[in-house]
Amino acid sequence: MSAAPELLLTYRGRVVPEWVDYNGHLRDAFYLLIFSLATDELMNLIGLDEAGRQASGNSLFTLECHLNYLHEVKQDTEVTVQTQVLGLDGKRLHIYHSLHREGSDEAVAANEQMLLHVDMAGPRSAPFGPALLARLTALRQAHQPLGLPRYAGRRIGLPT
Amino acid sequence: MSAAPELLLTYRGRVVPEWVDYNGHLRDAFYLLIFSLATDELMNLIGLDEAGRQASGNSLFTLECHLNYLHEVKQDTEVTVQTQVLGLDGKRLHIYHSLHREGSDEAVAANEQMLLHVDMAGPRSAPFGPALLARLTALRQAHQPLGLPRYAGRRIGLPT
């Protein structure tokens, strides 16, 4: 996959019949499957593809995520995911995915994720190696001018 | 399914091969599929099963959710979901699911959800009818003494 000018393009595909509910709309959990596949592609882009995981013994685990459902998506819709690196520390990576109908800038869903770098031999948390840390830092710096996206940092609650 | 003494039991099942990743662990998106199926069961319990949806023309849509991944879950593990009603207003329902290995009180994942009651003819948001509102209010009152669960109301961010 190729990278968009600013954000990363991490998924392109079609909403398949297995992913829709009784209404013919993408079921909530399958929005997250698409975002999870987008995280896989991000891992490919930063060198944590299958070969990289086997060579390093390291991977990324999801600690926590937040989803906002903004529009319904029907079966057979072509969709893409754009990804922004929001931040990182020595072993954690904070990212934001947005789901779009192919060719549209409007997000139909948003997904914030906190990922942990792990040594799979434990599994236990492990600091990013120097090469990976350099790649992630470069991405964060490239994305920093974009600012915090609309649905990042949200807390769920009823209006009071 | 039968209700636990306090919380609702909304899912009981086994982690099937289609849900695990390259490590043999439940993939992040399929935790949410289990929680989504638990919400379906909650809908059954409050009268929004398929017959109730067709009779009323109403359903619940997910607006937003938050997941915390606490422990890995291997293929073939028997799991259950317990559900707490945290709050509601005229058309929104705020719930909290926790995922457990069968027979264990320790949560392996938590999922907070905000659901919207909709008239499917729009679809547009719609107030709960009197019977549904009474059922939900009774559940909220029964669950209120349990207090706010550990992973409710969280915001994602790196420690500063």
Side-chain angles (χ1 to χ4, degrees):
Chain A
M1 269 182 237
S2 68
E6 296 168 318
L7 299 173
L8 301 169
L9 176 66
T10 50
Y11 186 82
R12 170 172 279 147
R14 194 173 53 83
V15 172
V16 297
E18 295 85 338
W19 295 350
V20 304
D21 63 13
Y22 55 87
N23 281 318
H25 294 126
L26 184 57
R27 190 188 179 101
D28 53 5
F30 291 103
Y31 285 77
L32 184 54
L33 181 60
I34 293 173
F35 289 128
S36 180
L37 295 169
T39 297
D40 286 355
E41 174 64 10
L42 176 66
M43 290 174 67
N44 293 341
L45 293 173
I46 61 176
L48 282 174
D49 55 351
E50 190 178 349
R53 290 195 302 267
Q54 291 193 350
S56 66
N58 296 327
S59 188
L60 295 180
F61 283 10
T62 312
L63 287 177
E64 186 168 8
C65 75
H66 193 107
L67 289 123
N68 283 79
Y69 299 95
L70 308 174
H71 294 285
E72 294 170 24
V73 181
K74 289 184 179 156
Q75 185 182 321
D76 297 327
T77 305
E78 297 284 343
V79 295
T80 59
V81 174
Q82 299 177 2
T83 300
Q84 180 175 348
V85 173
L86 298 183
L88 67 150
D89 65 9
K91 58 186 182 179
R92 270 172 293 212
L93 179 63
H94 184 195
I95 64 171
Y96 185 88
H97 296 304
S98 57
L99 181 69
H100 302 262
R101 297 189 182 97
E102 174 81 52
S104 166
D105 277 341
E106 187 188 25
V108 295
N111 176 216
E112 186 178 12
Q113 298 189 353
M114 186 66 78
L115 306 167
L116 179 68
H117 188 244
V118 293
D119 174 351
M120 291 186 287
R124 73 183 73 83
S125 67
F128 296 121
L132 181 53
L133 187 61
R135 277 185 217 113
L136 294 173
T137 302
L139 281 173
R140 188 197 49 176
Q141 287 175 349
H143 291 175
Q144 207 148 23
L146 299 170
L148 204 63
R150 178 156 175 201
Y151 293 96
R154 280 181 63 92
R155 196 191 294 275
I156 293 180
L158 289 165
T160 51
Chain B
M1 267 182 238
S2 67
E6 296 169 322
L7 298 173
L8 301 169
L9 177 64
T10 49
Y11 186 84
R12 171 172 278 146
R14 193 174 53 82
V15 172
V16 296
E18 296 85 334
W19 294 350
V20 305
D21 63 13
Y22 56 87
N23 281 319
H25 294 125
L26 185 58
R27 190 187 178 103
D28 52 5
F30 292 103
Y31 285 76
L32 183 54
L33 181 60
I34 292 172
F35 288 127
S36 180
L37 295 168
T39 297
D40 286 355
E41 175 64 10
L42 175 66
M43 290 173 67
N44 293 341
L45 294 172
I46 61 176
L48 281 175
D49 55 351
E50 189 177 352
R53 290 195 302 268
Q54 290 192 350
S56 65
N58 297 327
S59 186
L60 295 180
F61 283 10
T62 312
L63 288 176
E64 187 169 5
C65 76
H66 193 108
L67 289 124
N68 283 79
Y69 299 95
L70 308 173
H71 293 285
E72 294 169 25
V73 181
K74 289 185 180 156
Q75 185 182 321
D76 298 326
T77 305
E78 297 284 344
V79 294
T80 59
V81 174
Q82 299 177 3
T83 300
Q84 181 174 348
V85 172
L86 298 184
L88 68 149
D89 65 10
K91 58 184 182 181
R92 270 172 294 211
L93 179 63
H94 184 194
I95 64 171
Y96 185 87
H97 296 304
S98 58
L99 181 70
H100 302 262
R101 295 190 182 96
E102 174 81 54
S104 166
D105 277 340
E106 187 188 25
V108 295
N111 176 216
E112 187 178 12
Q113 299 189 352
M114 186 66 78
L115 305 167
L116 179 68
H117 187 245
V118 293
D119 174 351
M120 290 187 286
R124 73 182 74 81
S125 66
F128 296 121
L132 181 53
L133 187 62
R135 277 186 216 113
L136 293 173
T137 302
L139 281 173
R140 189 197 47 176
Q141 286 174 350
H143 291 175
Q144 206 149 23
L146 299 170
L148 203 63
R150 176 156 176 201
Y151 293 96
R154 281 181 62 92
R155 195 192 293 275
I156 293 181
L158 289 165
T160 50

